[in-house]
Amino acid sequence: MRIINDRSTGGRASAVLSPRGGQEWHLDSASVEDALSVIAADAVDIVSGAREGRMALCASPTCRAAFFDTSRGATRRWCEMNTCGNREKKARFLANKRQGPSRAD
């Protein structure tokens, strides 16, 4: 907890409102401290329960990246659908195609 708090207050990043009404981060520089400040501030929101969702690991055996799942029912399986999710679905499709059509008796 102490490390997260120290990093959260250590940078010169600040949350600002975007033109669409969301939150964006403004960095005063490209320093590591500013980047860690943003990451730590998000961690504070997640750990404290201020953000709805859950931490999860990508279901792809070649990825296993951590991501924050905000889907309804917290059922998201992959870190990114455009990369890991697409690869996994394609592999499953090709595996089923190789097995051939199933016969119903």
Side-chain angles (χ1 to χ4, degrees):
M1 182 170 70
R2 183 177 185 199
I3 292 172
I4 291 174
N5 288 338
D6 288 347
R7 295 292 181 242
S8 181
T9 58
R12 293 182 300 172
S14 54
V16 295
L17 289 174
S18 71
R20 294 184 180 177
Q23 175 181 314
E24 293 178 354
W25 287 97
H26 173 70
L27 301 178
D28 287 339
S29 70
S31 73
V32 173
E33 288 78 17
D34 286 356
L36 289 175
S37 171
V38 172
I39 294 167
D42 281 344
V44 168
D45 281 351
I46 292 167
V47 173
S48 71
R51 289 175 60 186
E52 300 237 355
R54 69 177 181 95
M55 289 299 298
L57 292 177
C58 183
S60 172
T62 59
C63 178
R64 305 300 288 167
F67 64 92
F68 193 66
D69 181 5
T70 58
S71 66
R72 186 183 307 180
T75 57
R76 197 168 125 200
R77 297 186 57 205
W78 300 288
C79 61
E80 291 290 332
M81 189 59 208
N82 292 335
T83 55
C84 293
N86 188 46
R87 275 194 298 264
E88 292 298 309
K89 286 187 172 193
K90 182 179 177 182
R92 187 171 48 212
F93 173 78
L94 292 175
N96 288 337
K97 192 173 180 181
R98 280 190 290 261
Q99 290 177 355
S102 62
R103 294 185 179 159
D105 292 324

